[in-house]
Amino acid sequence: MPPLHQKLRRESGLLVGRPRSVWRHWRDPYHFALAIPWPAFLVLIATLYLAINLLFAGLFRLDPTGIGGTAQPRASFAEAFFFSVQTLGSIGYGVLHPRGLYANVLVSIEALSGLLFVAITTGLVFARFARSNARIRFSQVAVVHLYNGVPTLCFRLANERGNILRDARLQAFLAVDEISREGHRLRRLKPLVLERDRGVAFLLVWTAMHRLDASSPLYGLRPEELARLHAEVVVAFSGMDQTIERPVHAQAHWPLERLRFGYCFADMIDEAPEGGRDGGPRRIDWSAFDRIRPCPLVTTVAEPTP
């Protein structure tokens, strides 16, 4: 599932125009190195490693006799490059060696550069591995149906790791465009009170529910009004991972086209053939996590027989 900010750019229709240049990331290289995917991170490290060795290989070539132990009196570019690799990695096989003041100064500078490069790369790799990831799965859609006679907004989330998340907390908001009397346009987040917004432990599945009563920001709003307001439901989850003892976070959002009015989620509890409702084995049917079925929003009351 793409990050939330990418979804907002595609689906909300609020962020338009050409994206800013990628060079802006170099203003904050640490955040950039942690935010990019692993393949891009490895390519970046390999590119920097290659660039450093190419740079020092060119500098070593400025002194024709600065590298000893070469096949020819003047070191080739390949020999200068691999001498740089050995210097940067403190390998020191002993065949190639620096000669003269200029080459030894370059070796000293490259050795220091190698120490800094290894230290920074090690820190970035450790930070990326140590970063906590919630692995929370949210339902593809949110539904609105009657529950105990009251229209209720529902969505599901599941703990894909199956471990225990302590002190789990869930916050839901209605994001809408709002124009003040003076004509100022603002994007407002209005809290949606959930029937249960926290739990001692979150292990498998959580169905969050918000009643659309008179106190709800969604009360009385029809789908066409929600479309005019560019409305969407935004959710933030937080908890403490019991395994790694670190806080984890996740977020999701449902724009209007992913809100299903008059539908409800299918039951995920599957009765085993030998079990019954009064006892026996049961299991969770994960294939029904996103499955929905029609649920009328209007109750029908049977007329009394004369």
Side-chain angles (χ1 to χ4, degrees):
M1 182 176 290
L4 179 60
H5 67 277
Q6 295 180 8
K7 289 187 174 182
L8 289 174
R9 287 194 176 119
R10 287 201 307 263
E11 299 174 3
S12 66
L14 296 177
L15 302 179
V16 295
R18 297 182 62 185
R20 293 178 294 173
S21 171
V22 296
W23 293 106
R24 72 187 188 278
H25 294 299
W26 295 107
R27 300 174 185 174
D28 193 356
Y30 179 75
H31 181 271
F32 175 68
L34 294 182
I36 59 177
W38 269 106
F41 175 76
L42 295 177
V43 170
L44 176 63
I45 295 300
T47 301
L48 291 176
Y49 181 79
L50 179 63
I52 292 173
N53 284 294
L54 288 174
L55 172 64
F56 278 96
L59 294 175
F60 280 121
R61 289 268 294 168
L62 296 179
D63 185 358
T65 60
I67 302 177
T70 59
Q72 301 295 330
R74 178 183 174 88
S76 65
F77 188 84
E79 289 174 324
F81 176 82
F82 290 113
F83 177 67
S84 173
V85 170
Q86 296 176 27
T87 303
L88 191 67
S90 301
I91 299 174
Y93 288 122
V95 177
L96 300 177
H97 56 275
R99 291 190 302 191
L101 178 62
Y102 174 77
N104 279 283
V105 169
L106 272 184
V107 166
S108 302
I109 296 174
E110 187 172 11
L112 177 61
S113 301
L115 288 175
L116 294 176
F117 181 79
V118 171
I120 293 173
T121 304
T122 303
L124 289 174
V125 171
F126 176 79
R128 291 179 66 93
F129 270 109
R131 185 173 50 187
S132 56
N133 187 4
R135 291 292 300 274
I136 298 297
R137 175 184 174 185
F138 292 90
S139 56
Q140 293 294 322
V141 298
V143 298
V144 178
H145 62 87
L146 288 179
Y147 186 80
N148 289 333
V150 179
T152 304
L153 170 72
C154 299
F155 56 88
R156 279 175 172 170
L157 58 156
N159 181 7
E160 290 189 321
R161 283 201 175 102
N163 62 339
I164 295 178
L165 298 178
R166 301 196 314 267
D167 194 22
R169 303 190 180 194
L170 193 61
Q171 293 177 297
F173 300 89
L174 176 67
V176 293
D177 287 348
E178 194 172 275
I179 301 178
S180 68
R181 296 177 181 177
E182 295 77 17
H184 301 295
R185 181 186 294 272
L186 296 174
R187 188 69 171 167
R188 298 292 299 273
L189 290 177
K190 299 184 177 182
L192 299 177
V193 179
L194 301 176
E195 291 288 304
R196 181 171 67 92
D197 61 356
R198 64 179 58 191
V200 176
F202 177 37
L203 180 61
L204 295 174
V205 184
W206 185 347
T207 300
M209 307 173 70
H210 166 73
R211 294 164 60 92
L212 275 64
D213 52 20
S215 63
S216 170
L218 285 165
Y219 181 73
L221 293 179
R222 302 178 63 83
E224 52 270 19
E225 295 179 84
L226 293 174
R228 179 178 56 83
L229 296 173
H230 297 99
E232 61 182 349
V233 176
V234 181
V235 172
F237 171 86
S238 63
M240 178 67 69
D241 193 307
Q242 184 172 284
T243 304
I244 60 177
E245 292 294 335
R246 283 178 174 270
V248 292
H249 306 273
Q251 61 278 327
H253 79 125
W254 294 271
L256 183 59
E257 57 267 23
R258 292 204 282 129
L259 294 180
R260 299 290 185 265
F261 294 87
Y263 285 85
C264 57
F265 287 111
D267 193 359
M268 293 182 62
I269 303 299
D270 186 20
E271 303 287 350
E274 65 275 12
R277 294 193 176 275
D278 297 331
R282 296 181 179 184
R283 65 183 181 89
I284 296 179
D285 182 9
W286 288 102
S287 64
F289 183 79
D290 290 307
R291 192 180 304 160
I292 58 177
R293 59 183 176 84
C295 290
L297 277 170
V298 179
T299 57
T300 58
V301 180
E303 296 182 358
T305 57

